[in-house]
Amino acid sequence: MIEAEYVAPSNLGELFKSIEGRAERVKFVAGCTNVLPDLRAQNPAPMLLVDLTGIEELRRIEENNGVISIGSLATMTELAASEIIRTHGPILASAARALGNPLTRNRATIGGNIADASPAADTAPPLLALEATIHTEGASHAKREIPVEEFFIGPNQTVLNQGELITRITFPIPKDPSASSHIKFGLRNAMAISVVSVAVVLEMQGNLCHRARIALGSVAPKPIRAYLTEKELEGRKITEEVLESCAEVVKKEISPITDIRASAQYREHVTGVLLKRALWQAAREGENSTNGNI
Amino acid sequence: MKKDPKDQLSNYEYQFIGKPVPRHDAWDKVFGRTKYADDFDMPGMLFGKVLRSSYPAAKILSIDTSGAEKMPGVAAVLTAKDVPNNETVTRFGQTHQVGGFEGLYRVLADKKVRFMGEAVALVAAETEEIAEEALARIKVEYEQLPGVFDPLEAMNPDAYQVGEGDSNIICNYQVRKGDVKEGFSRSHVVVENTYRVPFVEHAFLEPESGIAWIDDSEIITIRVSTQVIEHFRDVADVLGIPHNKVRVIAPMVGGGFGSKEDITVETFLALLTWKTGKPVKMTWTREGSIISSSKRHPYVMKYKTGATRDGKLMAMEAQLISDAGAHVYLSPWVLLYSTVDATGPYDIPNVKVDSYTVLTNNTFTSANRGFGAPQVCFAYESQMDELARRLSLSPLEIRKRNYLRKGDALATGRVLEYGVETEKTAIKALEALGEPSMPSSPTEKIGQGLASGMMSYGRMTFLHDTSRSYVGIELDGSVTVRCGVQDIGGGQASSLASIAAEILGVPMEEIKVFIGDTALTPIAGTTTATRMLYMSGNATLKAATEVKKSLLPKAAEMLEASPEDLVFRDKKVFVRGAPARAIPLADVVKACAADGVQLYNVAQFNAPFRELIDFKTGQGQVFPDFTFGSHAVEVAVDTETGKVRVLKLVACYDVGQAINPLSAEGQIEGGALYGLGYALTEEVILDKGITLTPSFSEYLVPTSVDAPHVKTIMLESRDGAGPFGAKGIGEPSCNSIAPAVANAVANAIGARILDLPLTPEKILRSLQKL
């Protein structure tokens, strides 16, 4: 049986007032696409459910001085449709479109997807590749800015303290000329938990990859950046040969498990394949956007 | 014995039969007005819940319910000791007991549990939450037993015994025709393979659900989502009360696919309402449903098939082993279907089939759309393509040289006396598939595949199947049909309306069909075995024809014409060739009523009655008739990830006569997608009896964006045993899709996968990339 007290604050001031002294019992809820099934399955201790959906200030998607800011309540549908995201973070729009089904996307929020911290969280690889920052606010208005690569600790574990809320997520607009790509690989075309997902952002200088940011989902206990692979790529031209060596290096950075969806061995193989495809797609996109200068 | 379908109607064109009309219940479903089982509440009702076993194999040492009973809001807690007749022996057949393979069932577990989903205790409480909490407070002490989870291991004489008998092997059938040794020696090519198919979930939208109450004449009434209202007898037997004190009502069912053929919530509801005197509702969660309801049988199938250089099949030897799970249920009959269908729609001079179904501590298996036919179809159609490849013949050519034709005999000796158009369906399916598409990348391979299948419609003839239907005409000319069918979404009720409309010349909207009520509608048998149109359609046709016959003399008198010259159409009676000479049907009815003419008829249709076949040779008649057809598929295989995309899918089946082509097309499209999941993604994974795929997040049914466009081609031979020459299409429509996909994948990548589903991982392994 779920025993809970319920509050629905309409702004952050009200929110922190209502949870004062009770932070350890707080469960923040918005879209409820993870929370409700989890609670039904867990038979949890009595809690304080804090409904965030009335807090308008957490909804905004905006651009300020080269930084994109996404309120934690932005839904997948909103992200996928947002002109700002489609222009400056198309890999995030792509991941939002690939999550669940239309019903889920209408409810699921980016804050919830990150806070749930599934190793397969769809928005995590794009946010990692975009070097996003997670902005939080806790009791007595203590604010933190956490780089997304430090945010996840393990499966369903983050650095968030009890009663600490994700307010927004920011990322700098990638420097021009840049190119990006995102691939989610699941066992069906919708409503699938990814077997592997890849997001890459490349900053190009002429035909060289000046800087690479590569992120992967479902191949480690948490969504990860592939730093060694990035090093392998940086300063080089994107050729078949370079892609092959990236596909080899990336296997050293991941630690996939065997589960009902796939074996570790399969995930390892497909990570290489998808990485090559993502890099190739990004390089081709870069090529087009710089009129064939690569 | 076979009638010319044209005799059933005088020689005019059909007015309703074969015309695409939206079903009478379609808009109600679209707008959410249809009241399914869970949509029905009663004042003061309680909520029922089931406590299920914590282990797949264990002894129950003790059950302490005192903690649950003490909870405020708990009205009843029941265990085996509270059930009047907890132990029942299920036999088969509602009307004719054939004996053999009797399974011991306990309504609630006693002494021993056999699988994880087994019901141990029941609770009824004022809210669902209290009922859930009460389950948590029931203390069951178990002693874990080793169990056995692999049917091949379970066949071993010293294996762990799942039940209380002395063998895990439930039954064994044999088919013997000719001499396979001789056949293989005369074969130029012999292909030998072992195929495996997995447990599959039915995945209906509506989980098991119902509500029960005691009415004001003390009748235990159960309104339940079921394919078989006739379980009222089993429920009465458990309670130890007369059969006529239990009434079962089936509202529109949100999908059955075979899993609602066995009892689901009925007995639990009856016990709880009988104990508390209050209405009780029970709806299983999706997880509860997947863990505890029946599954499609996994099979291990060893096939050896030989052919001459010209591709003529000479011999086939098959060993089939199915995992029955923890209880017998319908496993022997599913196995018999597989055994009879094991050769596929091919004429093979020498055949040897040995089949076994075996108890394990896995979730029990029972009916699932296709009832044993799709498993063997995957094997025999994979074999056909392998033979074709070895002989450098096209898949179509080798099949054409071996298809059974009307008048030929199956390996069981049964002569096919109705239409057999398999070859035509294969040709048309391939034609519609067209030229292969171009690959979209250098790592993609395109492949095309064909598979043909046969599956029976109508129940096994030794069950002596019958159905009844009431057709009555009202004084205003409107028509009432009463028939105890369960409508599981296939248009079972609507097709009866079409038949009555056709015979009596009354528009569809003036036909009312009352269905699924053991107290008010004549018993029509189960909505299973693709039998409803065949059986109840024929009964309704017969009843409507009798009603028409009883009106004819009066109408002839009123129109001053001969009865043979009268036509019933548009709620009028006409004289053929003289359309101006017409009178309203209502006037005829009123005149008949005044003369005391009977305005209704209750007709019974009996399928052919045969006796049990010889299980040592398989010789005899098991089924009334078969439906034949083919699927053709084009796939694109990503050779780096192993992912399969289905680019084209053509389904071509001979439906005999489509009563309503929209409904028949719906069945064929639904069947194709049902089979597509079987081919590519669906598998209930069990680890030592524990379900690892208990929700739709792990159990992967194709979504709308996984579904290719299904091109349906309906052949109408008008040569089936159903009304107007119809054949059954509900189950056969999913039969040959999985092997068509497997054949297309093999064609694309040049390697054959012997296990379903064809996951990306298996494909990469067969390409030796892992």
Side-chain angles (χ1 to χ4, degrees):
Chain A
M1 211 177 311
I2 303 170
E3 269 182 67
E5 195 184 331
Y6 171 85
V7 290
S10 56
N11 58 56
L12 286 176
E14 247 179 74
L15 181 148
F16 288 109
K17 212 166 169 185
S18 67
I19 67 171
E20 215 176 293
R22 306 194 280 175
E24 69 290 345
R25 287 175 49 216
V26 162
K27 184 95 193 163
F28 292 117
V29 295
C32 285
T33 56
N34 281 320
V35 170
L36 271 183
D38 286 354
L39 291 184
R40 284 190 179 128
Q42 284 161 1
N43 201 17
M47 72 192 81
L48 176 61
L49 282 182
V50 182
D51 182 348
L52 304 173
T53 53
I55 306 178
E56 280 306 312
E57 59 199 284
L58 297 183
R59 269 183 204 288
R60 282 191 289 272
I61 300 173
E62 54 199 8
E63 187 212 325
N64 286 312
N65 304 321
V67 174
I68 305 299
S69 171
I70 304 165
S72 59
L73 287 188
T75 64
M76 296 301 129
T77 303
E78 286 162 353
L79 287 175
S82 157
E83 249 337 286
I84 294 176
I85 302 300
R86 287 155 62 115
T87 309
H88 300 297
I91 52 174
L92 182 58
S94 161
R97 251 193 322 275
L99 183 146
N101 60 31
L103 296 177
T104 311
R105 291 197 287 273
N106 286 340
R107 298 192 61 92
T109 63
I110 188 164
N113 193 238
I114 294 305
D116 184 59
S118 160
D122 281 310
T123 61
L127 291 176
L128 280 162
L130 290 164
E131 299 192 298
T133 301
I134 314 291
H135 299 252
T136 72
E137 198 165 331
S140 53
H141 298 278
K143 292 188 184 179
R144 290 207 283 171
E145 292 183 9
I146 308 161
V148 67
E149 54 262 59
E150 292 168 22
F151 183 78
F152 303 109
I153 306 175
N156 305 106
Q157 289 172 298
T158 70
V159 297
L160 283 175
N161 297 315
Q162 265 300 321
E164 186 176 8
L165 175 73
I166 300 173
T167 52
R168 59 200 185 97
I169 294 153
T170 59
F171 64 86
I173 295 174
K175 289 197 187 88
D176 251 356
S178 77
S180 63
S181 169
H182 165 258
I183 302 175
K184 171 177 174 173
F185 186 81
L187 295 179
R188 64 180 169 193
N189 296 330
M191 296 173 70
I193 296 174
S194 65
V195 170
V196 176
S197 69
V198 183
V200 301
V201 177
L202 306 180
E203 285 173 23
M204 306 301 290
Q205 259 176 10
N207 57 5
L208 296 182
C209 173
H210 168 62
R211 199 160 169 251
R213 280 162 287 164
I214 298 171
L216 302 161
S218 297
V219 290
K222 58 180 190 171
I224 57 163
R225 276 276 291 273
Y227 295 108
L228 293 177
T229 314
E230 292 173 3
K231 285 275 166 303
E232 182 70 21
L233 187 60
E234 282 171 359
R236 296 173 77 176
K237 236 175 106 171
I238 296 177
T239 61
E240 291 271 4
E241 198 189 344
V242 169
L243 292 181
E244 282 305 328
S245 64
C246 286
E248 280 313 305
V249 172
V250 78
K251 289 176 188 170
K252 295 180 199 142
E253 299 196 75
I254 59 177
S255 49
I257 56 163
T258 294
D259 64 13
I260 52 163
R261 282 177 281 281
S263 70
Q265 198 192 3
Y266 178 81
R267 282 195 164 94
E268 197 179 285
H269 172 87
V270 169
T271 303
V273 171
L274 298 184
L275 177 67
K276 283 190 282 180
R277 287 185 186 178
L279 291 173
W280 193 249
Q281 270 174 27
R284 277 177 51 190
E285 185 200 307
E287 207 171 323
N288 295 337
S289 66
T290 53
N291 297 323
N293 282 340
I294 288 179
Chain B
M1 71 158 266
K2 203 174 70 61
K3 291 163 284 186
D4 177 353
K6 291 207 175 86
D7 289 345
Q8 296 173 9
L9 280 193
S10 330
N11 287 320
Y12 57 83
E13 271 302 298
Y14 298 149
Q15 197 184 355
F16 297 100
I17 300 301
K19 300 289 186 309
V21 282
R23 295 213 301 245
H24 72 288
D25 53 1
W27 285 113
D28 284 346
K29 289 183 174 177
V30 171
F31 286 118
R33 290 191 295 248
T34 306
K35 295 272 179 245
Y36 290 94
D38 187 62
D39 294 326
F40 198 74
D41 291 337
M42 291 187 86
M45 73 181 181
L46 303 169
F47 294 86
K49 294 250 178 212
V50 186
L51 180 70
R52 300 195 178 276
S53 169
S54 308
Y55 301 100
K59 257 187 220 165
I60 296 180
L61 301 178
S62 67
I63 306 178
D64 177 4
T65 56
S66 57
E69 279 159 14
K70 271 184 243 155
M71 279 182 66
V74 171
V77 183
L78 306 182
T79 62
K81 66 175 172 26
D82 304 303
V83 184
N85 295 307
N86 192 45
E87 290 190 358
T88 55
V89 173
T90 294
R91 297 175 193 87
F92 301 92
Q94 274 75 30
T95 50
H96 181 59
Q97 297 191 347
V98 294
F101 326 120
E102 292 170 346
L104 168 72
Y105 299 92
R106 296 193 174 102
V107 177
L108 295 173
D110 192 13
K111 296 168 192 148
K112 199 174 184 185
V113 289
R114 298 186 183 192
F115 78 107
M116 281 292 286
E118 192 142 346
V120 175
L122 302 174
V123 165
E126 285 167 13
T127 67
E128 280 197 86
E129 289 76 15
I130 297 173
E132 193 70 53
E133 181 63 29
L135 292 185
R137 295 195 192 179
I138 298 172
K139 291 195 185 98
V140 187
E141 203 187 335
Y142 294 99
E143 179 191 321
Q144 259 185 277
L145 296 169
V148 61
F149 306 97
D150 174 359
L152 281 86
E153 210 178 292
M155 287 174 82
N156 210 315
D158 50 11
Y160 171 83
Q161 287 302 307
V162 175
E164 286 147 55
D166 51 11
S167 170
N168 289 325
I169 299 174
I170 300 168
C171 73
N172 156 236
Y173 304 118
Q174 299 179 345
V175 177
R176 296 290 183 265
K177 178 192 175 193
D179 178 353
V180 285
K181 252 192 200 151
E182 156 95 21
F184 286 123
S185 73
R186 290 171 53 201
S187 299
H188 298 286
V189 175
V190 175
V191 170
E192 240 182 305
N193 282 308
T194 301
Y195 299 89
R196 286 184 170 79
V197 289
F199 285 100
V200 172
E201 167 65 22
H202 303 71
F204 28 62
L205 284 175
E206 178 199 36
E208 296 80 352
S209 177
I211 181 169
W213 67 92
I214 300 172
D215 77 3
D216 40 15
S217 52
E218 300 291 303
I219 305 298
I220 293 184
T221 308
I222 309 168
R223 187 182 184 276
V224 60
S225 174
T226 180
Q227 296 176 244
V228 183
I229 56 176
E230 282 181 75
H231 284 310
F232 76 93
R233 300 191 189 97
D234 306 300
V235 173
D237 288 343
V238 167
L239 291 174
I241 60 177
H243 288 179
N244 64 5
K245 298 284 189 197
V246 177
R247 172 183 178 188
V248 173
I249 301 168
M252 276 289 168
V253 176
F257 305 108
S259 197
K260 294 171 184 168
E261 174 167 1
D262 300 304
I263 284 185
T264 61
V265 297
E266 296 93 315
T267 316
F268 300 154
L269 285 171
L271 282 163
L272 289 170
T273 201
W274 170 77
K275 198 77 176 178
T276 60
K278 291 188 172 177
V280 182
K281 185 179 196 171
M282 179 182 285
T283 300
W284 292 352
T285 61
R286 181 61 62 186
E287 290 79 359
S289 171
I290 291 181
I291 289 167
S292 63
S293 69
S294 69
K295 301 285 157 284
R296 185 195 286 287
H297 291 77
Y299 274 62
V300 180
M301 301 173 283
K302 274 191 198 168
Y303 262 77
K304 183 175 172 188
T305 319
T308 64
R309 204 164 279 130
D310 316 332
K312 178 72 198 86
L313 293 172
M314 293 308 294
M316 190 208 83
E317 189 174 347
Q319 186 204 54
L320 314 173
I321 297 171
S322 85
D323 184 344
H327 289 281
V328 175
Y329 283 94
L330 298 166
S331 295
W333 303 135
V334 173
L335 185 73
L336 186 57
Y337 272 60
S338 306
T339 308
V340 172
D341 290 352
T343 57
Y346 302 110
D347 185 17
I348 311 176
N350 304 291
V351 175
K352 179 174 181 238
V353 184
D354 292 273
S355 60
Y356 303 85
T357 185
V358 186
L359 291 170
T360 65
N361 292 96
N362 293 319
T363 312
F364 77 93
T365 46
S366 196
N368 183 318
R369 192 178 197 172
F371 210 81
Q375 287 95 329
V376 289
C377 188
F378 171 61
Y380 63 70
E381 283 302 83
S382 297
Q383 289 287 94
M384 289 305 279
D385 263 35
E386 283 303 292
L387 283 171
R389 189 176 59 82
R390 296 270 298 276
L391 292 163
S392 301
L393 287 172
S394 78
L396 177 63
E397 192 51 45
I398 192 168
R399 286 174 173 81
K400 277 163 81 171
R401 293 180 189 182
N402 293 286
Y403 280 133
L404 286 162
R405 289 175 170 79
K406 185 173 176 175
D408 288 348
L410 302 177
T412 56
R414 158 77 167 148
V415 173
L416 297 167
E417 57 190 291
Y418 295 95
V420 184
E421 299 289 353
T422 329
E423 179 172 330
K424 207 186 270 179
T425 65
I427 292 170
K428 283 191 176 288
L430 276 181
E431 263 173 23
L433 196 66
E435 289 302 309
S437 309
M438 293 303 289
S440 66
S441 80
T443 57
E444 188 172 81
K445 301 255 192 234
I446 302 293
Q448 294 196 331
L450 169 73
S452 298
M454 68 171 211
M455 193 205 156
S456 54
Y457 59 94
R459 300 178 80 208
M460 293 168 286
T461 46
F462 50 77
L463 296 175
H464 294 192
D465 197 15
T466 60
S467 177
R468 287 138 218 97
S469 187
Y470 164 105
V471 176
I473 192 154
E474 310 301 340
L475 292 182
D476 62 354
S478 65
V479 171
T480 302
V481 178
R482 294 192 181 95
C483 185
V485 306
Q486 303 79 195
D487 191 318
I488 61 172
Q492 283 85 4
S494 204
S495 62
L496 302 185
S498 298
I499 292 166
E502 185 68 51
I503 300 301
L504 295 167
V506 171
M508 287 280 278
E509 52 282 8
E510 296 200 41
I511 314 269
K512 172 65 195 168
V513 186
F514 292 93
I515 59 167
D517 186 332
T518 58
L520 298 180
T521 55
I523 291 297
T526 63
T527 301
T528 69
T530 307
R531 68 177 282 286
M532 209 32 109
L533 175 62
Y534 166 48
M535 296 298 297
S536 301
N538 271 330
T540 303
L541 174 62
K542 206 169 155 188
T545 306
E546 287 304 314
V547 170
K548 181 178 173 183
K549 266 191 206 161
S550 65
L551 301 176
L552 274 175
K554 192 78 203 172
E557 184 192 315
M558 291 166 80
L559 282 161
E560 296 175 357
S562 148
E564 304 83 73
D565 291 337
L566 299 187
V567 175
F568 285 47
R569 197 168 178 140
D570 302 331
K571 271 188 96 181
K572 293 191 184 107
V573 183
F574 294 85
V575 178
R576 193 186 318 280
R581 284 173 67 194
I583 46 170
L585 180 61
D587 291 359
V588 178
V589 179
K590 281 178 200 133
C592 285
D595 282 3
V597 172
Q598 185 177 313
L599 297 175
Y600 71 91
N601 185 273
V602 185
Q604 172 156 334
F605 177 77
N606 293 352
F609 288 6
R610 301 284 183 275
E611 294 318 312
L612 270 182
I613 60 161
D614 177 353
F615 290 151
K616 293 290 165 210
T617 62
Q619 297 302 303
Q621 180 182 347
V622 183
F623 300 109
D625 186 31
F626 297 84
T627 299
F628 300 88
S630 302
H631 280 107
V633 168
E634 182 178 297
V635 299
V637 181
D638 182 333
T639 55
E640 288 188 322
T641 64
K643 195 163 183 169
V644 176
R645 279 190 304 141
V646 178
L647 304 179
K648 299 180 199 161
L649 201 172
V650 185
C652 183
Y653 267 73
D654 172 20
V655 300
Q657 166 70 57
I659 300 301
N660 181 347
L662 287 184
S663 284
E665 188 182 25
Q667 288 289 321
I668 291 171
E669 288 180 354
L673 293 182
Y674 201 80
L676 200 58
Y678 193 39
L680 292 173
T681 55
E682 294 187 36
E683 177 173 16
V684 174
I685 303 172
L686 288 150
D687 179 24
K688 293 208 177 305
I690 295 166
T691 304
L692 303 182
T693 51
S695 81
F696 286 156
S697 156
E698 299 91 17
Y699 185 82
L700 303 177
V701 178
T703 68
S704 58
V705 286
D706 297 289
H709 171 72
V710 179
K711 174 149 183 64
T712 300
I713 303 170
M714 266 184 275
L715 292 190
E716 291 182 307
S717 63
R718 292 196 176 182
D719 195 3
F724 308 100
K727 291 189 173 223
I729 191 63
E731 291 175 271
S733 63
C734 75
N735 202 15
S736 45
I737 183 85
V741 173
N743 287 341
V745 168
N747 176 243
I749 66 173
R752 178 160 297 277
I753 296 162
L754 305 173
D755 301 351
L756 293 181
L758 306 172
T759 61
E761 185 147 0
K762 285 180 197 164
I763 286 171
L764 284 198
R765 284 190 198 285
S766 75
L767 288 169
Q768 290 167 339
K769 293 205 173 166
L770 286 185

